[in-house]
Amino acid sequence: MPWLSLSIQTDGAHAEALADALLAEGAMAASIEDADAGTPDETPQFGEPGSIARPGWERSRVVALVTLDTDASRLVSVCAATAGLDEVPDYTREEIADQDWVRVTQAQFEPIRVSERLWIVPSWHQAPDPGAIVLVLDPGMAFGTGSHPTTRLCLEWLERCVAPGQSVLDYGCGSGILAIAAARLGATEVLGVDIDPQAVSASISNAERNRVGARFQNAERALAGQFDIVVANILANPLKVLAPAICAHVRPGGSLALSGILCEQADELIAAYASFLPLRVADTRDGWVCLAGVKE
């Protein structure tokens, strides 16, 4: 069955309310986009919570998927009023052919080559290089599929630093990708912790799929012991708060890597960790930085 896509122009102050109204009126899906995307006026928005004063875009576009027999004019009018708009906004409509939406979604996620020997491969793909170290990982509810620069930075750092037989702690494990990579790279004792129960559950499933013995637990449980390598890919503010706890789990002579840090935040993080462990910039990518150091 064909579908109808409605692209509605609005402003940042009303975009979320308009999307919610469309869903309440029966839209199958509704998303908010930058109306200037692909032009010189496009406004990228990334960073950590609290770093963006006004989320969204001043010129926004709400895209809704509805059934072909929907009265688009009535729907947009009703939803605009619900969202608090004084006038019915301009919109365009486009008929969308029915598709195998699972296949379309899967096609968006291709294998990712991290390095010469390390690949991240969704479960529905064949490994491009049978001789490589393959991490089987599907997009899901937990953060960390390998596409984000901070995840790539940490994976590359682990590949350079993990030696067979070492112990590794993944602090804020998300999908478990870093812990799984450490295990595949030869670490024998691997533990991941996270405050999100869904992340812990996703990590356990991903470890089983990759047939590695990494363990995972909720961060609320007591965490004891020190590790040869500790990696934390979170965000700058929580990394500052967690500095004493994270560094306490790095053994003397052990290594620590931090990411989830914007380049302009690097000096602040280095200063926050200076009394525990000396950090330096190990690598950068697309405005993000990986900091690393050895505990004395």
Side-chain angles (χ1 to χ4, degrees):
M1 179 183 74
W3 299 85
L4 189 64
S5 175
L6 304 178
S7 181
I8 309 166
Q9 304 300 311
T10 186
D11 55 74
H14 295 91
E16 186 172 353
L18 181 58
D20 289 343
L22 287 161
L23 291 171
E25 288 292 325
M28 301 297 105
S31 61
I32 302 172
E33 303 174 355
D34 183 356
D36 295 317
T39 75
D41 295 323
E42 180 176 358
T43 306
Q45 298 223 2
F46 61 89
E48 60 183 286
S51 66
I52 301 173
R54 296 185 61 188
W57 299 276
E58 187 59 36
R59 282 174 35 82
S60 295
R61 176 172 53 238
V62 177
V63 180
L65 187 69
V66 299
T67 57
L68 191 60
D69 60 357
T70 297
D71 184 339
S73 177
R74 174 195 166 279
L75 177 65
V76 174
S77 178
V78 168
C79 292
T82 302
L85 289 164
D86 295 330
E87 298 180 353
V88 177
D90 293 332
Y91 70 94
T92 58
R93 47 186 293 159
E94 179 184 3
E95 186 173 322
I96 305 294
D98 195 15
Q99 302 181 62
D100 182 341
W101 294 106
V102 172
R103 187 180 299 275
V104 169
T105 300
Q106 289 181 344
Q108 299 176 34
F109 299 96
E110 296 290 330
I112 298 171
R113 185 173 195 166
V114 178
S115 66
E116 284 295 322
R117 61 174 182 152
L118 191 62
W119 283 81
I120 302 165
V121 181
S123 61
W124 52 82
H125 279 282
Q126 292 292 321
D129 180 357
I133 297 174
V134 174
L135 311 178
V136 179
L137 199 74
D138 293 341
M141 299 186 70
F143 176 82
T145 59
S147 58
H148 196 274
T150 61
T151 309
R152 296 284 295 272
L153 287 168
C154 289
L155 286 169
E156 291 166 0
W157 182 85
L158 284 170
E159 186 179 17
R160 294 193 299 270
C161 296
V162 173
Q166 287 186 315
S167 59
V168 176
L169 172 64
D170 180 2
Y171 206 104
C173 59
S175 67
I177 184 172
L178 300 181
I180 293 166
R184 294 300 308 274
L185 289 166
T188 52
E189 179 189 355
V190 181
L191 175 64
V193 300
D194 204 289
I195 61 172
D196 183 355
Q198 289 184 330
V200 174
S201 177
S203 296
I204 293 171
S205 296
N206 287 330
E208 291 173 350
R209 174 176 289 173
N210 283 272
R211 300 180 181 179
V212 298
R215 298 180 296 112
F216 300 92
Q217 69 179 53
N218 194 292
E220 293 180 352
R221 288 179 52 189
L223 178 61
Q226 294 184 317
F227 297 77
D228 297 310
I229 289 177
V230 177
V231 59
N233 180 23
I234 315 177
L235 288 170
N237 284 336
L239 283 173
K240 283 189 291 184
V241 174
L242 291 166
I246 290 174
C247 292
H249 295 295
V250 185
R251 69 163 180 80
S255 299
L256 170 67
L258 307 177
S259 197
I261 305 162
L262 296 169
C263 287
E264 57 266 28
Q265 298 170 326
D267 289 343
E268 188 179 357
L269 264 293
I270 290 172
Y273 277 74
S275 61
F276 304 102
L277 192 153
L279 293 174
R280 61 175 179 80
V281 175
D283 204 354
T284 62
R285 178 174 287 112
D286 299 337
W288 299 90
V289 63
C290 176
L291 303 178
V294 175
K295 190 173 185 179
E296 298 173 348

